[in-house]
Amino acid sequence: MSETVFNNIDPATMERIKQLRLIDDELMTVVFGGDKKATELLIRILLNRNDLKVTKSMTQEQKHNLFGRSVTLDIVAEDIFMNEYNIEIQRADKGDIEKRIRYHQAMIDSHTLKKQEEFGKLPNLYIIFILEHDLYGKDVPIYYVRKILNVNDEEGNPLLFNDGCNIMYVNGEYKGEDALGKLMHDFSTPNADEMYYKELAEKVRFYKQDETGVQMASKIVEEYGDERAAQALQQGIQQGIQQGALQQAIDSAKNMLRIGLGTHEQIAQAQNLPLKKVQELAEEVAFEKNL
């Protein structure tokens, strides 16, 4: 039997490729990266517009911040009217997603205007998060964020605060028979043969079954694996530091309790510990003295 690319790929990596879905960063990155047609299809369905024309599409675009945290944007696109789009794929239910969007908007906007350009030249921006789960549990396909003022217009409706930023959360659990439901189905299946949209199915099939495509996908999977391992290591180090600092504060508090240095409230403040924790430590110290 002749040697093929498939024989040279680590079995664990190959199994990961087989299980990949569009909701996973690795597959999303290669399917939509640089593909204006695929990105155009995606945005048209999400916005329910057939007239939209994408002129630029990139994945994993980095926005650097010299003074703080940088961000990596999943999909960045632009249309013929210079409207900008940031589409994020998120599987895990990470906290503070509203503030994450706030930060994304700030980072995108800060890289948009040139020096001395008027703020009016900021383009319309669409920030769209496709979430694997129903974030708010209200069983709607898309959650739209509306910014309003505390006054009404002539017809009695809340006056909109139009800053040109449109924010949407897409419910990945939605499986209706409309275009969006079919798109979310396609994002959730690892099998290209089960997908509704041929354009997406063909690309998924290429990266899962074609030798060249699988080789490209394997590199992405390995890169993401290395990145996750590095993140896990960093998180472990940080947790170790935090646990060490906490233990040091507890030990210092117990020493203060043993020699009667300060009230419980003063010790809690000095060691940055909850008052309840200091009270628990006081009971431990009292028990030790009675042994």
Side-chain angles (χ1 to χ4, degrees):
M1 186 173 65
S2 60
E3 187 83 359
T4 68
V5 169
F6 303 105
N7 301 127
N8 296 323
I9 296 177
D10 178 70
T13 299
M14 195 66 216
E15 183 60 29
R16 173 62 179 162
I17 292 173
K18 291 178 181 178
Q19 298 302 320
L20 284 176
R21 305 165 298 161
L22 286 174
I23 199 75
D24 296 306
D25 285 339
E26 299 98 319
L27 188 58
M28 175 277 300
T29 295
V30 293
V31 167
F32 292 102
D35 191 326
K36 292 184 287 187
K37 287 297 182 182
T39 305
E40 184 175 284
L41 172 68
L42 175 63
I43 298 176
R44 282 186 172 191
I45 295 171
L46 294 174
L47 298 185
N48 194 25
R49 287 181 52 185
N50 293 322
D51 59 336
L52 192 142
K53 184 74 173 177
V54 167
T55 58
K56 182 183 76 173
S57 174
M58 296 177 61
T59 55
Q60 302 304 312
E61 181 174 356
Q62 294 186 343
K63 298 292 185 183
H64 297 286
N65 181 358
L66 294 176
F67 306 102
R69 179 171 179 170
S70 300
V71 296
T72 301
L73 307 178
D74 284 346
I75 301 176
V76 175
E78 189 177 283
D79 66 20
I80 58 174
F81 298 108
M82 307 300 288
N83 295 316
E84 294 190 358
Y85 303 86
N86 169 217
I87 302 170
E88 293 293 314
I89 314 295
Q90 183 163 319
R91 289 190 55 194
D93 294 327
K94 300 176 182 176
D96 294 327
I97 191 168
E98 291 91 347
K99 289 187 177 179
R100 183 180 172 189
I101 282 189
R102 169 183 163 187
Y103 198 76
H104 273 223
Q105 179 184 349
M107 289 297 292
I108 293 170
D109 285 344
S110 67
H111 286 74
T112 300
L113 292 181
K114 298 178 181 178
K115 290 183 178 180
Q116 309 302 320
E117 271 194 315
E118 297 292 334
F119 293 116
K121 290 189 176 181
L122 272 175
N124 288 328
L125 173 63
Y126 292 82
I127 300 180
I128 306 171
F129 268 59
I130 300 177
L131 307 174
E132 185 174 21
H133 303 297
D134 187 347
L135 180 64
Y136 295 104
K138 299 299 181 181
D139 196 29
V140 298
I142 297 178
Y143 297 95
Y144 298 94
V145 176
R146 296 180 67 220
K147 301 176 185 179
I148 61 173
L149 299 171
N150 62 335
V151 293
N152 296 335
D153 59 20
E154 293 78 5
E155 298 178 357
N157 299 313
L159 195 63
L160 295 178
F161 178 77
N162 185 15
D163 61 355
C165 182
N166 307 275
I167 299 171
M168 302 161 50
Y169 297 105
V170 182
N171 177 6
E173 293 183 300
Y174 176 68
K175 296 296 183 290
E177 293 300 319
D178 57 356
L180 180 63
K182 293 177 180 178
L183 179 67
M184 291 302 96
H185 169 274
D186 286 1
F187 263 73
S188 302
T189 179
N191 189 350
D193 296 333
E194 295 178 353
M195 298 176 71
Y196 287 102
Y197 292 100
K198 293 181 179 179
E199 302 93 324
L200 301 179
E202 288 175 0
K203 297 207 68 176
V204 170
R205 194 174 290 111
F206 171 73
Y207 288 110
K208 285 174 173 280
Q209 299 175 16
D210 182 89
E211 284 197 22
T212 302
V214 169
Q215 192 169 28
M216 295 168 64
S218 69
K219 291 180 181 179
I220 294 291
V221 167
E222 290 167 359
E223 288 173 5
Y224 269 83
D226 293 342
E227 182 180 336
R228 290 191 182 102
Q231 289 175 347
L233 176 61
Q234 185 59 39
Q235 288 174 356
I237 292 172
Q238 189 62 35
Q239 288 174 357
I241 293 172
Q242 292 172 350
Q243 290 172 357
L246 175 60
Q247 188 59 51
Q248 184 176 5
I250 290 173
D251 292 342
S252 296
K254 291 178 75 171
N255 287 332
M256 294 175 73
L257 288 165
R258 289 188 183 101
I259 62 177
L261 185 60
T263 65
H264 290 178
E265 289 79 4
Q266 290 170 334
I267 294 173
Q269 184 175 9
Q271 299 302 327
N272 196 26
L273 290 170
L275 177 58
K276 185 177 180 180
K277 182 63 178 178
V278 174
Q279 292 170 340
E280 292 174 355
L281 295 174
E283 293 177 0
E284 291 181 19
V285 170
F287 180 78
E288 291 172 0
K289 289 181 178 179
N290 292 328
L291 289 178

